[in-house]
Amino acid sequence: MNAETITAEGHHSERSFLANLLRMRETGLIAIILVLFIVMSFASPYFLTWVNMRAMTMAFAVEGIVVIGMTILLISGGIDLSVGSVTALAMVIAGWLFLNGVDPWVASGIAIACCTGVGAIMGFFVTRVGLHHFIVSLAIMVIARGICLLGTGGRPLGLYTLPPEFKFIGQGSLGPIPLVIVIFVVIVVAFDFLLRRSTMFRKVFYTGSNERAAAYSGIRTKKVVFLTTTLCSGLCGFAGIIYMARFGSAQPTFGIGMELNVIAAAVIGGASLNGGTGTIFGAILGTVLLSVVSSSLALLDVSVYWQDIIRGSILLAAVAIDHYFHKRTR
Amino acid sequence: MNAETITAEGHHSERSFLANLLRMRETGLIAIILVLFIVMSFASPYFLTWVNMRAMTMAFAVEGIVVIGMTILLISGGIDLSVGSVTALAMVIAGWLFLNGVDPWVASGIAIACCTGVGAIMGFFVTRVGLHHFIVSLAIMVIARGICLLGTGGRPLGLYTLPPEFKFIGQGSLGPIPLVIVIFVVIVVAFDFLLRRSTMFRKVFYTGSNERAAAYSGIRTKKVVFLTTTLCSGLCGFAGIIYMARFGSAQPTFGIGMELNVIAAAVIGGASLNGGTGTIFGAILGTVLLSVVSSSLALLDVSVYWQDIIRGSILLAAVAIDHYFHKRTR
Amino acid sequence: MLLQISGVSKSFGAVHALSGVDFGVRAGEIHALAGENGAGKSTLMNIIDGILQPDDGRILIDGKPVKIASPTEAQRLGIGFVHQEIALCDDVSVAENIFMSATNISKSFLMDYAGQRRKAGQVLARLCDIDPATRAGDLSISSQQLVEIAKALTLDCRILILDEPTAALTEKEAQLLFGIMRKLREQGIAIIYISHRMVEIFDNCDRVTVFRDGRHIVTHDVADIGPDDVVNAMVGRKIETLYPDKLTDPATDTLLSVRGLGDGARIHDVSFDLRRGEILGIAGLIGSGRSEIVKGICGLEPAPEGEIVLAGKTLRRDEYRDAIGDGMVYLSEDRKGDGVFLEMSIASNISALRPEQVAGRFGLIDRKREFAQAEALGKRLNLKCGSLWDPVSSLSGGNQQKVAIAKMLSVDPRIIFLDEPTRGVDVGAKAEIHRILRQLASEGVGIVVISSELPELIGLCDRALVVREGRISGVVAGDEMTEENIMHLASVMDAERVTANEKVGQ
Amino acid sequence: SAQDTLRCEPGETYTMNVMVSSHPYWIPVYQGFKQAAAAFGCETTFSGTPDYDISKQIASFEQDMVKQPAGILVHPMQSDPFIEPINRAMESGIQVATFAADSPNSNRTAYVTSDNLAESKFAAEEIVKQIGENAEYAVLENPGQSNHDLRVTSLISYMEDNYPDMKLVGRQATNQDSNAAYRATASILQANPNLGALWIPEAGSAEGAVAAVLEADADVLVMHADITPTTLEHIREGNIHMAINPNQGVQGFMGFMAVFMAAHSDVFDPFNDYKTSGYNPMQFPYIDNGFSVITADNADSFDLNTYMEGRDTN
Ligand SMILES: Nc1ncnc2c1ncn2[C@@H]1O[C@H](COP(=O)(O)OP(=O)(O)OP(=O)(O)O)[C@@H](O)[C@H]1O
Ligand SMILES: Nc1ncnc2c1ncn2[C@@H]1O[C@H](COP(=O)(O)OP(=O)(O)OP(=O)(O)O)[C@@H](O)[C@H]1O
Ligand SMILES: [Mg+2]
Ligand SMILES: [Mg+2]
């Protein structure tokens, strides 16, 4: 045992940039995505075009916002199956209010607040009543969907009368770059930074890693879990509003099955279902991976019946490779 | 420290029957179901009819078999999102083989074996590669669904030419009682007994409760997890065959969303998502509860838009009440 | 030689936990294994039990080389192991936990719950009175440790490994355990006994082996050497004094004053004063409520009755945060359960109590400052680790304990409550911790120590409260602070109860 | 007299049973069903299961039977599983007809549906008319849902048979998910710069597809089946060329007629063997409810929300 006492200067100094990169949680994932990009750019001349990149990014940008909320919630030790329903709920509430004469910005604010409220209700059942996130969010998923249906009579709301400056959120561009992508990147960078650096979010890691030890460190773990649950629903609400601006409609059935996609992205990106680990950067890479696979299959015009099989296999392979990478470098 | 705590074996200690009943894990649930029955029998004259009871039981009997597999898997600390796809896979494989001239019994055997094999693959990725059940079964869910679509070209296979003695499994009756219900009850009783009393299944509890402790005691925890994963898929395969016999067709899109229903039933019945606890009896009560709620809402002609809201709320209330009950009596 | 290890090496990444170790145990001996934290003791035991595989070297049993691939294999070879870290299945009964191995290899199809409970009752009766039907998760840490021991005793083994079994036990249970160990020795069983308590080694063991830095240093008959030699071999230098000097002239001003503390159930009417500059001990038997009292003071568990005055100010005690805010911190006895974040880095464990301290502007954590804090405290406590960014799970038990203590010290507390602070810590570090505690006390920090190791309590503390069944049954200080006095105060009534129980049992 | 016979007794009830009961498709169907019932003084109920689950739909069908309505108009989620329940209902005196999906091997008296083949034939002809018979087209689809499958496969085979120079360049599953449709369409547009037309068998995917087409600023003819307020607006604005919508109201109205007539078949004594063979004389093997073509000109009549004003969904 030659480990000197406190040899730990290691991380900042001696190790090289490359060594650090190799030890990073996300390296395996980046490698997989790179391989995919290289293969695809040979397979299809359209793949590496600006327009295709833009379209691919647009396809995951809004869902990516939900992935952020889910990742933070997973880190704190929770899970949320209701993300799809809550996203739809935001669309429906805002759309309904707008159709009833409320200013769309105000309507959106109210909708996001309602979604946050739904998160607070889940948080209440988890932290105060003591139920498991899985089952609470499952119930809320069903209830929120019911409210969507009730509020719309099951019919999509057509919102083409939304003012253009509102639609701009979802459809506009800043120069060549769609606003949606700008919003997405800003949120990702902000949350990635906060999660890595802020004391506030550090408590999320402590809580998810060992709730009792966190409580014994004076952290209000219930409050932390309550807040992450609420944040996740709030981000869903925000995503719902962007979807509404983008598609100009509010669909009560929007987002069915979204939860599995979102959780898969976060997990591929290194978030643990047992809490305590995960990064925003990784989760977004997970989203990118899943999305690139889907887009590539479409671009190559793979038979629909094969697509599921290929997507599932790539998902499995990605986590397996990543796991192997991570185990080796640690 | 004289508080004797009810552990699984506690049911047959000295305490009086009533006291034992009150302390049982399932008491809260039984109470909720009883209340529901009483309310419903006043609310609808059709509720307490033999035909309605039969229809309700038929609606959950086959899914109940899947619930058993899921409960055992949950106890061992796993989870399986692929149950719906794997059930459909059994139907598709058996149906396809039958249409290609294979004897239906042989075809069924092969189909169940294939599903068990799918479970073994999942078990491999979980125990050997070290991935999480959630993500592995998610990938398998997608892949199995893809295989179903590929095998059928997306169209249901009509199997009305199945021989009557085969259809008898799904459509026949022993006296007034449908064979499906008889099979279901036999399986439930058998697994409930095994899980409570057999040394083999006790290891499942140990593994789920604390994998390290179990491993230190010489239990091959990986083997246990592998077997519970395989068992769950095998039971899905079995359920798929019964469905096929009952419906006389094989639908590639069968069982979408089944996983959440099945997990909800097991959790309502006291299975922990963290492993280590759960009973078959409780899980079946959970299934009964969910099923009775659905049937009652349909019977009362509740507006579809309200049904989701009510179902979700009852789910939430049921777990909350049960949790409260359980906390108090422990 | 019943068990012979030769040339075994094991590395974890860059850390060489064992390098070419030789070690042998005879049938019918109690063989002590000593060494600093991180010397590789548990690693070797894990190899013997098949939990880890050696990189190199051989294991021989009865002179025949064996390959131990898993605990199952080890069990078959007759190896029983009480782990340093408690590992019980919380959700099942004590009886089932005790007979888990038996269940595993049982040929019978059905569980014999009644028989298991009866037999578990018999085994437990030799150690303590724990109801075998209790859910294991409902037991206190020390009771769980007893269950672990009982579990190993039921194994039909030829080699029994005990890795710091007494770390969480009080004298009474420890003595019972030693009695049992001696009986087993007479039956020809080989026992490997790991402990940091020299007294235990010299009172009970036949031979002692010392490891240092993953190497075998010496093996001696206990009769031939003295504790100082062992310590010397362990740390490579002489430990001058295990306990620092005590306070010579006790101050009279009160730092903390507890009046009538109670929770209506487990603790009643607890009143005491903590004076400036003193180290106050709390003694008592397992389950006497020592931990409860301290947690009650800190607001970690509700104790609505009574009041607590810190430096003249009555505290509100809604939650533990308030206590931390007031400068009171609590080091838990359950290190793994509520002491450390196993999967997180050492540095972020140490900063957990107040991450704001290592944050710069806007509440953003400054990794350099976090690192510097961890480095400073780690040095002070002589922490042995690879990198400070490694997860705590990669540390040896004693070093994890040091991380937990470093966490407490990181916030410059006014009062520190330490529940079994030196549990699993080696002699050198223990002396170091004692020295630090004394130094802190002299700087005006209030120190309250709960310890089940009476020599430590007596050696370290200026005064000690004795707790019995949730009440303070006496205070001892100065020359009155003897093991006899403390045991007497702690157990008068308890002794009666135990005998009564034994009668019922027969 | 006949007029008295063709009226309901007080309390005579007809039920419409569906799966995924919250789907907006059923709304106009049930309105037609109700309007027909009102004309004959009958009562109606709407039932089924909110889930996409055959067991649950069968359970709800059997629960309908418990209440002994005069007739049930059912949309069987799968054909064969419904054979036995439908026959049992018929035996207990409840008349059953199917709509939008059939159970041909059961004893149901009638089947009312849209002619998906006619729809896609019309769509194919329209596409060829607009972009010529030597062009590229793509389809989105929703595998596993039979009527959607039929709309896609029949269009493709119609093209193959009649316009062999039409080239199918993309075929993507989007499962009624607008975001998936956005992604798939964007990729198809990338891979096929010369794409001329896009055929989509339902409206949910159309919403996402149009967004992608607009974003890529591509000159692609979009046509789809069914309608939502958003695609309706796209039709008004010319982003979608046209939509083909089954006449749901006729479907419901004729569906009611089918069960009602079967329940009142005593007014009818046809020239066949029904008396000796024991089946219901009122048999309609197939009723086509027809479809409408929605373009910018007539779009205003297809706003479901406007239509439902002042009407009750149940
Ligand atoms: N899983 C692991 N990963 C990395 N390093 C490890 C791991 N397990 C042990 N080590 C290292 O191996 C060395 C020996 O640890 P071990 O647990 O055997 O010490 P020990 O002698 O039992 O100490 P203690 O008295 O503190 O229990 C330590 O430096 C420890 O950090
Ligand atoms: N959550 C709990 N529920 C019920 N009883 C408890 C609980 N926690 C502790 N106890 C019991 O309360 C009593 C006091 O426990 P406590 O841990 O304070 O004792 P202690 O004196 O610190 O002894 P030790 O820590 O050595 O066991 C014990 O009998 C313990 O088993
Ligand atoms: Mg150790
Ligand atoms: Mg204690």
Side-chain angles (χ1 to χ4, degrees):
Chain A
M1 217 215 48
N2 300 323
E4 316 91 278
T5 316
I6 317 284
T7 55
E9 297 84 61
H11 224 64
H12 316 269
S13 47
E14 298 132 43
R15 231 177 281 122
S16 73
F17 175 75
L18 195 74
N20 265 337
L21 187 73
L22 274 176
R23 291 171 69 97
M24 241 174 67
R25 183 68 185 86
E26 291 86 4
T27 312
L29 210 46
I30 293 178
I32 298 172
I33 294 175
L34 273 184
V35 169
L36 206 63
F37 261 72
I38 294 169
V39 170
M40 275 308 296
S41 58
F42 282 101
S44 165
Y46 306 106
F47 186 75
L48 269 187
T49 58
W50 162 241
V51 187
N52 188 46
M53 288 299 134
R54 207 190 64 156
M56 282 199 322
T57 316
M58 285 291 281
F60 67 71
V62 192
E63 200 167 280
I65 296 175
V66 179
V67 172
I68 294 173
M70 183 68 87
T71 306
I72 297 174
L73 182 56
L74 285 172
I75 294 172
S76 77
I79 197 168
D80 187 354
L81 301 179
S82 73
V83 287
S85 300
V86 172
T87 305
L89 187 64
M91 296 171 92
V92 166
I93 293 176
W96 187 86
L97 287 173
F98 170 69
L99 291 180
N100 283 277
V102 179
D103 176 80
W105 301 97
V106 176
S108 301
I110 295 175
I112 295 176
C114 287
C115 290
T116 314
V118 170
I121 293 173
M122 283 198 277
F124 170 82
F125 274 98
V126 171
T127 57
R128 295 288 146 200
V129 183
L131 304 181
H132 197 288
H133 258 112
F134 193 96
I135 200 80
V136 171
S137 64
L138 179 60
I140 293 290
M141 163 176 132
V142 178
I143 295 174
R145 187 66 68 194
I147 297 176
C148 289
L149 293 172
L150 194 66
T152 59
R155 301 181 293 273
L157 305 176
L159 305 172
Y160 38 86
T161 50
L162 278 170
E165 67 272 18
F166 186 85
K167 283 189 191 158
F168 187 79
I169 312 176
Q171 302 172 2
S173 290
L174 295 185
I177 302 170
L179 186 59
V180 170
I181 296 181
V182 176
I183 295 176
F184 168 68
V185 171
V186 168
I187 294 186
V188 168
V189 171
F191 273 102
D192 187 70
F193 181 76
L194 285 177
L195 213 59
R196 284 182 204 271
R197 298 285 308 276
S198 82
T199 53
M200 197 170 59
F201 279 102
R202 177 60 82 75
K203 290 178 186 163
V204 175
F205 282 93
Y206 289 136
T207 303
S209 175
N210 183 345
E211 177 156 359
R212 261 172 54 209
Y216 274 61
S217 302
I219 294 168
R220 292 194 178 114
T221 53
K222 290 190 171 173
K223 195 175 125 192
V224 170
V225 173
F226 181 85
L227 288 178
T228 54
T229 312
T230 312
L231 175 67
C232 180
S233 297
L235 285 173
C236 290
F238 184 66
I241 297 301
I242 299 183
Y243 273 126
M244 182 176 85
R246 177 148 159 234
F247 292 127
S249 78
Q251 302 156 19
T253 54
F254 188 86
I256 291 177
M258 186 202 264
E259 64 281 0
L260 293 183
N261 222 10
V262 168
I263 295 171
V267 171
I268 293 177
S272 159
L273 288 161
N274 304 319
T277 52
T279 63
I280 298 296
F281 182 46
I284 294 306
L285 287 177
T287 316
V288 170
L289 176 66
L290 289 180
S291 191
V292 169
V293 168
S294 288
S295 294
S296 303
L297 290 174
L299 203 61
L300 296 178
D301 203 27
V302 173
S303 143
V304 280
Y305 302 129
W306 277 105
Q307 289 201 8
D308 275 345
I309 300 179
I310 297 174
R311 270 171 46 215
S313 308
I314 289 184
L315 169 58
L316 201 52
V319 265
I321 294 173
D322 179 64
H323 180 81
Y324 176 76
F325 237 95
H326 187 51
K327 213 167 56 179
R328 272 224 13 226
T329 53
R330 222 181 64 184
Chain B
M1 206 170 321
N2 299 321
E4 301 145 70
T5 316
I6 273 290
T7 44
E9 81 273 26
H11 296 297
H12 30 97
S13 65
E14 311 94 48
R15 237 177 283 116
S16 80
F17 176 74
L18 195 73
N20 265 336
L21 188 74
L22 275 175
R23 292 171 72 99
M24 241 172 70
R25 182 69 184 85
E26 291 85 4
T27 312
L29 211 46
I30 294 178
I32 298 172
I33 294 176
L34 272 185
V35 169
L36 206 63
F37 260 73
I38 294 170
V39 170
M40 276 306 296
S41 59
F42 281 102
S44 163
Y46 307 110
F47 185 76
L48 270 186
T49 58
W50 165 241
V51 183
N52 187 48
M53 288 298 135
R54 211 192 67 145
M56 283 197 323
T57 316
M58 287 293 280
F60 68 71
V62 193
E63 199 168 282
I65 296 175
V66 179
V67 171
I68 293 172
M70 183 69 86
T71 306
I72 298 174
L73 183 55
L74 286 172
I75 294 172
S76 77
I79 196 166
D80 187 353
L81 301 179
S82 72
V83 288
S85 301
V86 172
T87 304
L89 188 64
M91 297 171 89
V92 167
I93 293 176
W96 187 86
L97 288 173
F98 170 69
L99 291 180
N100 283 279
V102 179
D103 175 82
W105 301 98
V106 176
S108 303
I110 295 175
I112 295 176
C114 288
C115 292
T116 314
V118 170
I121 293 172
M122 285 197 278
F124 170 83
F125 274 98
V126 170
T127 57
R128 295 288 146 200
V129 183
L131 304 180
H132 197 287
H133 258 112
F134 193 95
I135 200 79
V136 171
S137 64
L138 178 60
I140 293 290
M141 163 176 134
V142 177
I143 296 174
R145 185 67 68 196
I147 297 176
C148 289
L149 291 172
L150 194 66
T152 59
R155 292 177 298 278
L157 307 175
L159 304 171
Y160 43 86
T161 52
L162 279 170
E165 66 273 18
F166 186 85
K167 284 190 190 155
F168 188 79
I169 312 174
Q171 302 174 2
S173 291
L174 295 184
I177 302 171
L179 186 57
V180 169
I181 296 180
V182 175
I183 295 176
F184 167 68
V185 170
V186 168
I187 295 185
V188 167
V189 171
F191 274 102
D192 188 71
F193 178 78
L194 286 177
L195 217 58
R196 282 181 204 272
R197 301 292 309 279
S198 82
T199 52
M200 198 170 57
F201 279 100
R202 274 325 270 180
K203 293 182 203 166
V204 176
F205 283 89
Y206 302 155
T207 303
S209 179
N210 185 341
E211 182 157 357
R212 260 195 33 231
Y216 288 173
S217 299
I219 294 171
R220 297 209 170 95
T221 53
K222 289 190 172 174
K223 195 175 124 192
V224 170
V225 172
F226 181 85
L227 288 179
T228 53
T229 311
T230 312
L231 175 67
C232 181
S233 297
L235 285 173
C236 291
F238 184 66
I241 296 303
I242 299 183
Y243 274 125
M244 184 178 84
R246 176 156 161 228
F247 297 141
S249 81
Q251 207 195 10
T253 54
F254 186 86
I256 291 175
M258 187 203 260
E259 64 280 0
L260 293 182
N261 222 7
V262 167
I263 296 170
V267 171
I268 293 178
S272 159
L273 289 160
N274 304 319
T277 53
T279 64
I280 299 296
F281 182 46
I284 295 305
L285 288 177
T287 317
V288 170
L289 177 65
L290 290 180
S291 190
V292 169
V293 169
S294 287
S295 298
S296 302
L297 291 173
L299 203 62
L300 293 179
D301 268 331
V302 173
S303 145
V304 282
Y305 307 129
W306 277 105
Q307 287 198 17
D308 276 345
I309 301 180
I310 297 174
R311 272 165 53 209
S313 309
I314 289 184
L315 169 58
L316 200 53
V319 265
I321 293 173
D322 179 62
H323 181 81
Y324 176 77
F325 237 95
H326 188 51
K327 211 166 57 179
R328 271 222 14 221
T329 54
R330 219 182 68 186
Chain C
M1 227 28 103
L2 178 51
L3 170 73
Q4 179 67 50
I5 307 289
S6 67
V8 162
S9 299
K10 176 78 187 171
S11 312
F12 299 98
V15 178
H16 301 288
L18 293 172
S19 348
V21 165
D22 297 323
F23 176 66
V25 196
R26 302 187 192 115
E29 74 164 344
I30 302 178
H31 193 129
L33 185 55
E36 284 188 280
N37 294 132
K41 307 179 294 291
S42 300
T43 305
L44 181 63
M45 297 307 116
N46 283 333
I47 288 172
I48 296 175
D49 198 44
I51 294 165
L52 296 174
Q53 295 307 313
D55 300 336
D56 201 4
R58 294 194 307 158
I59 304 172
L60 299 99
I61 289 183
D62 295 327
K64 284 191 280 292
V66 289
K67 185 169 170 1
I68 306 175
S70 68
T72 324
E73 192 77 7
Q75 233 174 65
R76 230 174 31 78
L77 292 167
I79 297 166
F81 190 2
V82 176
H83 291 264
Q84 184 173 11
E85 300 296 344
I86 292 164
L88 293 176
C89 291
D90 282 355
D91 299 307
V92 301
S93 70
V94 166
E96 275 194 78
N97 266 292
I98 289 177
F99 286 102
M100 203 172 282
S101 303
T103 304
N104 183 40
I105 51 176
S106 160
K107 295 253 168 4
S108 96
F109 182 70
L110 293 182
M111 294 290 290
D112 175 16
Y113 291 114
Q116 279 194 350
R117 233 180 5 234
R118 204 184 52 248
K119 282 187 274 175
Q122 288 165 1
V123 180
L124 282 168
R126 292 157 74 183
L127 288 165
C128 54
D129 66 84
I130 295 174
D131 183 340
T134 320
R135 206 176 142 268
D138 291 340
L139 295 177
S140 69
I141 287 296
S142 35
S143 304
Q144 290 187 357
Q145 179 76 59
L146 289 167
V147 173
E148 284 280 10
I149 293 171
K151 196 171 157 180
L153 295 181
T154 63
L155 296 176
D156 184 21
C157 58
R158 302 164 64 205
I159 302 164
L160 178 61
I161 301 169
L162 300 163
D163 195 351
E164 300 192 34
T166 53
L169 298 188
T170 57
E171 193 63 23
K172 195 180 113 206
E173 289 81 20
Q175 288 307 335
L176 287 169
L177 173 64
F178 298 139
I180 294 169
M181 278 162 56
R182 282 191 282 265
K183 268 199 208 109
L184 292 174
R185 168 171 62 187
E186 281 159 26
Q187 294 163 17
I189 290 173
I191 298 176
I192 304 173
Y193 184 78
I194 300 176
S195 176
H196 292 295
R197 299 182 185 173
M198 289 305 137
V199 188
E200 291 177 358
I201 293 178
F202 282 86
D203 285 358
N204 303 293
C205 301
D206 303 309
R207 291 199 299 162
V208 57
T209 292
V210 177
F211 279 11
R212 185 167 76 226
D213 289 349
R215 285 175 221 283
H216 174 262
I217 303 296
V218 286
T219 300
H220 270 300
D221 277 349
V222 163
D224 299 343
I225 53 166
D228 286 349
D229 304 316
V230 172
V231 171
N232 201 352
M234 270 169 66
V235 285
R237 65 188 152 88
K238 239 183 140 53
I239 299 278
E240 298 302 330
T241 45
L242 193 49
Y243 303 110
D245 293 339
K246 296 205 182 184
L247 209 55
T248 40
D249 59 324
T252 44
D253 56 334
T254 304
L255 204 55
L256 176 77
S257 164
V258 176
R259 287 288 167 269
L261 187 79
D263 67 354
R266 290 201 289 267
I267 55 177
H268 313 276
D269 193 26
V270 170
S271 305
F272 66 88
D273 287 333
L274 173 67
R275 300 185 200 128
R276 181 176 302 282
E278 76 168 351
I279 297 180
L280 180 65
I282 301 184
L285 298 179
I286 285 185
S288 55
R290 296 165 302 173
S291 303
E292 239 80 36
I293 290 172
V294 172
K295 288 184 191 173
I297 296 172
C298 291
L300 276 159
E301 264 168 36
E305 299 159 16
E307 71 169 2
I308 289 161
V309 183
L310 173 64
K313 186 179 139 222
T314 304
L315 303 182
R316 45 183 291 242
R317 303 178 284 129
D318 299 335
E319 25 174 15
Y320 182 40
R321 272 174 73 83
D322 300 336
I324 296 179
D326 292 323
M328 296 202 300
V329 294
Y330 169 74
L331 174 76
S332 167
E333 61 186 325
D334 183 2
R335 172 171 68 224
K336 203 172 60 164
D338 32 49
V340 292
F341 305 95
L342 277 175
E343 299 311 323
M344 295 183 73
S345 72
I346 298 167
S348 47
N349 262 277
I350 292 177
S351 62
L353 222 42
R354 206 177 281 158
E356 294 80 9
Q357 275 186 336
V358 293
R361 267 180 306 164
F362 312 119
L364 297 179
I365 288 172
D366 181 343
R367 302 238 310 172
K368 285 210 186 80
R369 279 169 69 177
E370 188 172 32
F371 185 88
Q373 180 190 53
E375 190 176 29
L377 287 166
K379 269 219 176 87
R380 195 163 165 194
L381 290 167
N382 197 19
L383 179 72
K384 248 179 216 176
C385 64
S387 152
L388 287 173
W389 301 119
D390 283 347
V392 168
S393 59
S394 71
L395 296 180
S396 76
N399 281 308
Q400 291 183 7
Q401 183 70 16
K402 291 179 194 166
V403 171
I405 294 176
K407 183 169 112 181
M408 298 299 131
L409 298 184
S410 72
V411 293
D412 297 324
R414 294 162 75 186
I415 313 251
I416 312 180
F417 297 94
L418 303 116
D419 203 345
E420 314 283 0
T422 57
R423 184 180 156 201
V425 171
D426 66 45
V427 238
K430 211 174 199 168
E432 195 57 30
I433 290 172
H434 292 156
R435 199 185 54 71
I436 291 168
L437 291 181
R438 178 53 74 192
Q439 190 196 333
L440 287 170
S442 67
E443 288 164 7
V445 180
I447 309 272
V448 178
V449 175
I450 299 176
S451 177
S452 298
E453 198 185 345
L454 283 182
E456 173 178 56
L457 208 67
I458 294 165
L460 177 67
C461 301
D462 301 304
R463 280 193 311 149
L465 309 173
V466 184
V467 179
R468 187 176 67 216
E469 292 179 352
R471 293 172 200 277
I472 292 188
S473 59
V475 183
V476 288
D479 294 339
E480 286 172 22
M481 221 163 40
T482 61
E483 298 198 16
E484 293 71 35
N485 280 347
I486 292 176
M487 286 310 287
H488 182 72
L489 284 168
S491 58
V492 178
M493 292 172 62
D494 211 60
E496 286 163 13
R497 198 169 52 119
V498 168
T499 36
N501 269 359
E502 273 164 7
K503 271 180 200 137
V504 173
Q506 291 151 6
Chain D
S1 72
Q3 190 164 6
D4 288 341
T5 328
L6 283 179
R7 280 204 77 74
C8 280
E9 310 270 328
E12 187 174 328
T13 305
Y14 292 83
T15 298
M16 182 171 132
N17 184 301
V18 301
M19 56 151 194
V20 198
S21 47
S22 56
H23 199 282
Y25 179 87
W26 314 124
I27 295 171
V29 180
Y30 187 59
Q31 293 301 316
F33 188 80
K34 262 204 313 198
Q35 288 166 23
F40 294 99
C42 309
E43 289 174 21
T44 63
T45 55
F46 180 71
S47 84
T49 172
D51 303 282
Y52 187 70
D53 182 333
I54 177 79
S55 315
K56 292 217 176 105
Q57 197 194 354
I58 289 180
S60 78
F61 184 83
E62 292 189 344
Q63 285 182 319
D64 290 344
M65 282 164 59
V66 177
K67 298 188 206 162
Q68 280 291 323
I72 303 176
L73 177 66
V74 62
H75 171 82
M77 181 177 161
Q78 277 185 59
S79 50
D80 294 346
F82 266 92
I83 297 174
E84 193 267 341
I86 289 178
N87 291 352
R88 197 144 37 84
M90 301 284 291
E91 273 158 32
S92 73
I94 301 168
Q95 300 304 324
V96 182
T98 55
F99 75 102
D102 195 12
S103 179
N105 296 315
S106 70
N107 298 334
R108 93 285 183 274
T109 61
Y111 172 42
V112 188
T113 189
S114 310
D115 184 347
N116 296 124
L117 287 116
E119 289 167 2
S120 41
K121 181 179 164 211
F122 181 90
E125 290 290 353
E126 180 68 20
I127 287 172
V128 170
K129 196 168 108 197
Q130 296 295 328
I131 64 172
E133 43 183 288
N134 196 343
E136 292 183 354
Y137 74 101
V139 295
L140 300 185
E141 59 182 319
N142 179 21
Q145 176 140 349
S146 54
N147 58 331
H148 295 170
D149 275 343
L150 201 56
R151 281 171 179 162
V152 170
T153 50
S154 59
L155 180 125
I156 294 172
S157 57
Y158 186 84
M159 287 289 195
E160 282 167 356
D161 294 345
N162 298 289
Y163 301 102
D165 293 332
M166 288 298 288
K167 199 168 150 220
L168 175 65
V169 294
R171 185 172 181 176
Q172 289 301 317
T174 55
N175 302 313
Q176 314 192 50
D177 176 340
S178 47
N179 206 34
Y182 170 86
R183 193 199 325 264
T185 308
S187 297
I188 291 174
L189 291 172
Q190 282 311 301
N192 308 285
N194 297 324
L195 186 72
L198 193 58
W199 169 239
I200 305 160
E202 32 81 26
S205 297
E207 291 189 11
V210 171
V213 169
L214 289 177
E215 242 164 55
D217 205 11
D219 184 20
V220 172
L221 184 87
V222 180
M223 287 188 52
H224 72 94
D226 301 347
I227 196 76
T228 66
T230 304
T231 59
L232 195 63
E233 186 55 25
H234 283 304
I235 291 172
R236 282 198 185 98
E237 290 177 2
N239 302 328
I240 294 178
H241 177 65
M242 65 168 53
I244 287 167
N245 196 46
N247 272 325
Q248 291 141 292
V250 175
Q251 195 168 67
F253 194 94
M254 292 313 292
F256 178 84
M257 292 305 290
V259 274
F260 175 77
M261 296 304 286
H264 292 260
S265 62
D266 45 357
V267 300
F268 186 37
D269 184 13
F271 167 64
N272 64 23
D273 67 328
Y274 78 96
K275 275 183 190 145
T276 50
S277 302
Y279 59 84
N280 192 311
M282 204 61 86
Q283 299 279 342
F284 307 96
Y286 173 69
I287 305 170
D288 182 357
N289 54 244
F291 61 87
S292 328
V293 176
I294 307 174
T295 61
D297 301 332
N298 66 359
D300 290 344
S301 313
F302 291 89
D303 189 331
L304 185 55
N305 290 313
T306 314
Y307 174 75
M308 285 307 290
E309 267 164 32
R311 295 177 205 258
D312 186 6
T313 31
N314 272 330

